[in-house]
Amino acid sequence: LNSKPSAERLATERNAPADRTAYLDLWRVICVAVMVASHAGAEFDLYTEYNMLGGQQWVLPIIMLVSGLCFCKSSLPVIHYSARLLAYFSLGSLFNWAA
């Protein structure tokens, strides 16, 4: 048997997506849902006024922790993340300017 891996197999292994960690995705969804509820406007004034679930104290630290963990687990270069953040910032600024 040939002990060297084929180039085709190496290419598919290199391009295969990394294993996703389900609990990080769950935390991300929970944090975004709490932030949407706290920024939704008049419908959630009671939530914002009384700070139900203590969302104003824990959401930002958790989302930063999740983002840092996902960045550390990734093998993509920093320039990839920087370009994506620049695109999000530009699109958000464009929407704010248009409003």
Side-chain angles (χ1 to χ4, degrees), residues 34-58:
V34 170
M35 290 312 302
V36 166
S38 67
H39 288 90
E43 295 84 17
F44 292 95
D45 276 344
L46 185 65
Y47 171 84
T48 305
E49 186 176 336
Y50 292 108
N51 190 23
M52 294 178 192
L53 299 176
Q56 296 174 3
Q57 281 81 29
W58 64 268

Side-chain angles (χ1 to χ4, degrees), residues 5 8 11-12 19 33 38 41 49 51 54 56-57 61 63-64 67-68 80 85 88-89 93 96:
E8 183 178 312
T12 56
D19 292 335
S38 67
E49 186 176 336
N51 190 23
Q56 296 174 3
Q57 281 81 29
I63 202 75
M64 296 303 279
S67 298
H80 173 77
L85 287 175
Y88 291 151
F89 174 77
S93 296
N96 281 332

Side-chain angles (χ1 to χ4, degrees), residues 2-3 5 9 20 24 33 36 47 59-60 70 75 89 91 93:
N2 188 0
S3 63
R9 194 178 99 211
R20 293 187 68 90
L24 292 177
V36 166
Y47 171 84
V59 170
L60 187 60
C70 290
S75 61
F89 174 77
L91 187 64
S93 296

